[in-house]
Amino acid sequence: MNKIIVEQDELDLQDKKIKLEILTNHTTLNIFNENYLKIDNLPNQTNLTINLQNNSFLTIDLALSLSNHEINIILNNGCNSTLNLNMATTFTGINNLTINSEISKDNSFTNIRFHGVSENGSLNILATGKIFKNTQHNKYLEDISIITDDYNCVKIMPDLIIDSDSVEANHKATIAPVNEEELFYLKSKGLTKEKAITLIKNGFLNSIIRKIDE
Amino acid sequence: MFEIKDLTVKVLDKTILEDLNLTINDGEIHCLMGPNGAGKSTISKVIMRDNHYTITKGTIFYKNFDLTKMDTTEVARKKVYLISQNPIEIAGITNAELLRTALSDNNELNENILEFNRHLKDICTKLAIPNDFIHRDINYNMSGGEKKKNELMQMWMLKPQFIILDEIDSGLDVDALKIVASSLKEYYDEYKPSILIITHHPGLLEILKPDYVHVLNKGKIVKNGDYSLALNIFHDGFGASIMSREDFHE
Ligand SMILES: Nc1ncnc2c1ncn2[C@@H]1O[C@H](COP(=O)(O)OP(=O)(O)OP(=O)(O)O)[C@@H](O)[C@H]1O
Ligand SMILES: [Mg+2]
């Protein structure tokens, strides 16, 4: 897959299937037509704005290793736009993530999935979905799921602000240790506990992003 | 030899198995029957050392190792293999990944990636499943019958010597049952494992004829017999087998 190194503040993307390497702290992506983006890295201070134009489609996979990151993502949906935002993230150190979805047009679909695995880190997530007044037929889904043994180090604050009567919105947040049934299953095939846990965590992260042959 | 001796098992504070005894010699096929809730699946999970179940008494010896003192990984590495009643789905881990990890961790991976894939493809063909099962996530989005075949595919690669089949025949269509049964028969003929079949149906037993049949009721073995006992039960139900022991604890 081709790679674009992003050093400017604003970038228009149209019918792209690319890897983005973002080097600036403030980036705005304007999305036209159909796009797939893969991001493996973000600067420790990141403000990322994604503007989906009318009738645009974007799947964006972020596979991140957070380590003292401060990330703000702002999502603006156009009419008839679709956004799949998938974040597969390990985290160590102290991290803050905010995702602000501003749904001010009609017929958009926003699907946010966050799978996180703690590596003795802490993470605060503030995910806000704001559906504006007089908008119609929007769909907003948000699923945040984190594997950690230490519940105290993770805070998820999902917030839905709905001013429209015509919207389907849902959010789900899960914080749990490694699934015991999965662990038992893998051990029953002869894997050590440590190997099984590694596979489960990697699988949990990989399950929401595309496998890409580079 | 596999030998369960005076095994008592609790979940939380409820006794599920009580003073259970069962001996399976190498290469024998045993069938465990019994009404719903009798404790059949519990036996299979206890053997695999599922830590939801607490052993309060007794031993489980296999090849002179006491499995009750082992953890699940160690039991699996003694070549014990369970196909559970409802195999779970794991998104994000492929069969190939699981198998390569399991084999290499146990120093049994003596095929390069091409041979390994070819080997798996042959197994898929025999089981009448698409080759892409190899790289699919474990049981993920598979139908009930496909899951059972998927577990069999893994079995052929891991080559266990003691196999527990917990209702592998439930939910299989007629053709799938034939394929599963003959695959098991072929495996049996080739590797002569011991097999413990848990079933409510005659189909599998017609092909994989058990040497012994045991009836479990309320956590105890209440009757032992040979294949004819299974046939009687299929014909008449459990009534006669478990009636005389109705005085057992609730
Ligand atoms: N993890 C558990 N927690 C609580 N109760 C359990 C657990 N596992 C089993 N039991 C109980 O133990 C009893 C035996 O269950 P088990 O699954 O072993 O039955 P079974 O003989 O396999 O039945 P079936 O033919 O329906 O599969 C049941 O009453 C069940 O509810
Ligand atoms: Mg059962």
Side-chain angles (χ1 to χ4, degrees):
Chain A
M1 204 162 56
N2 290 328
K3 184 154 107 180
I4 295 185
I5 296 178
V6 185
E7 286 171 305
Q8 68 272 46
D9 291 344
E10 193 154 349
L11 186 66
D12 291 352
L13 294 165
Q14 176 162 349
D15 291 317
K16 287 280 191 292
K17 186 176 179 206
I18 42 163
K19 210 167 203 177
L20 287 188
E21 190 169 329
I22 294 178
L23 301 178
T24 55
N25 301 113
H26 290 265
T27 308
T28 299
L29 304 176
N30 299 312
I31 306 296
F32 299 85
N33 293 355
E34 200 173 322
N35 296 271
Y36 173 77
L37 304 178
K38 177 88 197 293
I39 296 176
D40 288 334
N41 216 330
L42 285 174
N44 280 63
Q45 294 282 335
T46 298
N47 292 287
L48 176 64
T49 303
I50 301 174
N51 297 320
L52 283 113
Q53 309 300 318
N54 293 346
N55 305 308
S56 66
F57 180 102
L58 171 65
T59 294
I60 178 167
D61 287 348
L62 294 104
L64 304 174
S65 306
L66 300 183
S67 172
N68 300 311
H69 275 69
E70 192 86 38
I71 296 177
N72 299 305
I73 298 176
I74 296 172
L75 307 170
N76 290 306
N77 291 46
C79 278
N80 305 311
S81 65
T82 297
L83 169 65
N84 296 301
L85 171 66
N86 303 313
M87 301 183 74
T89 303
T90 61
F91 55 94
T92 167
I94 299 168
N95 303 278
N96 287 298
L97 168 67
T98 64
I99 303 173
N100 274 306
S101 285
E102 310 258 319
I103 317 260
S104 59
K105 304 279 171 50
D106 298 334
N107 290 315
S108 73
F109 177 38
T110 305
N111 189 11
I112 298 170
R113 289 190 297 172
F114 183 99
H115 277 193
V117 170
S118 169
E119 288 171 351
N120 295 319
S122 82
L123 174 63
N124 291 319
I125 301 179
L126 176 60
T128 310
K130 181 166 165 48
I131 292 102
F132 285 66
K133 216 173 186 159
N134 297 325
T135 57
Q136 288 192 349
H137 306 301
N138 288 298
K139 192 169 171 183
Y140 177 84
L141 303 178
E142 180 190 295
D143 185 354
I144 298 170
S145 182
I146 288 167
I147 296 182
T148 179
D149 292 325
D150 187 355
Y151 295 91
N152 294 323
C153 285
V154 176
K155 261 199 209 90
I156 304 175
M157 291 157 285
D159 197 7
L160 281 175
I161 304 165
I162 299 178
D163 288 329
S164 162
D165 300 330
S166 165
V167 63
E168 183 186 335
N170 204 334
H171 61 78
K172 204 174 112 191
T174 316
I175 305 175
V178 167
N179 182 300
E180 275 191 42
E181 275 186 74
E182 294 183 3
L183 194 54
F184 172 73
Y185 178 94
L186 295 177
K187 286 173 74 182
S188 80
K189 310 287 166 147
L191 301 196
T192 59
K193 184 177 176 186
E194 293 68 33
K195 263 279 165 54
I197 288 176
T198 305
L199 280 194
I200 291 169
K201 287 180 174 175
N202 289 340
F204 175 71
L205 294 172
N206 293 334
S207 66
I208 59 164
I209 56 178
R210 284 190 203 174
K211 296 184 180 97
I212 296 167
D213 305 317
E214 313 244 348
Chain B
M1 190 169 82
F2 175 90
E3 189 177 29
I4 297 180
K5 248 187 149 163
D6 302 323
L7 187 71
T8 298
V9 170
K10 285 188 178 178
V11 172
L12 306 174
D13 267 339
K14 188 178 161 209
T15 300
I16 300 187
L17 302 175
E18 200 174 349
D19 286 323
L20 192 99
N21 290 285
L22 179 67
T23 302
I24 300 178
N25 291 306
D26 290 350
E28 284 180 354
I29 301 175
H30 287 235
C31 174
L32 184 63
M33 301 181 70
N36 296 135
K40 303 181 297 298
S41 295
T42 300
I43 295 179
S44 72
K45 288 188 195 137
V46 171
I47 294 170
M48 259 359 270
R49 304 301 301 112
D50 183 335
N51 58 19
H52 287 99
Y53 302 89
T54 312
I55 297 170
T56 57
K57 203 180 119 202
T59 53
I60 305 173
F61 272 90
Y62 179 56
K63 294 194 188 293
N64 297 319
F65 294 98
D66 186 353
L67 304 189
T68 65
K69 300 210 159 55
M70 295 184 163
D71 95 324
T72 305
T73 307
E74 294 172 288
V75 173
R77 290 185 175 188
K78 293 287 173 236
K79 296 273 146 201
V80 180
Y81 188 79
L82 165 66
I83 299 186
S84 65
Q85 194 167 348
N86 300 303
I88 61 161
E89 302 185 9
I90 307 184
I93 308 177
T94 67
N95 283 309
E97 206 177 345
L98 165 64
L99 290 169
R100 285 191 74 81
T101 312
L103 290 169
S104 72
D105 280 7
N106 215 9
N107 296 319
E108 289 174 12
L109 189 61
N110 35 37
E111 296 173 317
N112 67 35
I113 189 97
L114 285 173
E115 294 163 337
F116 174 84
N117 279 327
R118 198 173 322 121
H119 190 175
L120 272 168
K121 277 183 192 161
D122 289 343
I123 296 169
C124 287
T125 306
K126 279 200 267 189
L127 290 170
I129 47 180
N131 287 343
D132 75 356
F133 269 48
I134 299 167
H135 298 291
R136 274 181 65 174
D137 291 351
I138 299 168
N139 296 326
Y140 188 63
N141 286 338
M142 292 185 189
S143 75
E146 287 172 341
K147 285 178 186 166
K148 303 295 173 82
K149 288 182 172 183
N150 197 52
E151 295 292 314
L152 271 190
M153 171 177 86
Q154 293 181 20
M155 180 194 78
W156 275 96
M157 294 301 283
L158 297 173
K159 299 200 179 67
Q161 272 302 307
F162 188 94
I163 300 166
I164 309 160
L165 307 170
D166 191 358
E167 299 198 26
I168 193 167
D169 49 359
S170 294
L172 294 183
D173 67 49
V174 261
D175 294 329
L177 177 62
K178 264 190 206 139
I179 290 162
V180 163
S182 52
S183 175
L184 283 164
K185 179 78 168 77
E186 187 186 335
Y187 187 91
Y188 180 76
D189 290 341
E190 191 166 339
Y191 297 105
K192 281 282 174 303
S194 310
I195 304 183
L196 180 61
I197 301 173
I198 298 170
T199 188
H200 295 294
H201 308 287
L204 181 58
L205 304 187
E206 282 164 18
I207 295 174
L208 216 55
K209 289 233 162 55
D211 301 295
Y212 297 94
V213 174
H214 315 276
V215 180
L216 188 75
N217 189 38
K218 296 180 183 166
K220 293 196 173 204
I221 289 190
V222 292
K223 195 153 189 161
N224 296 294
D226 57 15
Y227 183 41
S228 64
L229 171 59
L231 295 178
N232 289 340
I233 290 169
F234 293 132
H235 194 260
D236 301 327
F238 285 112
S241 317
I242 61 180
M243 202 76 84
S244 55
R245 306 292 289 267
E246 207 61 313
D247 54 335
F248 278 118
H249 72 286
E250 282 301 310

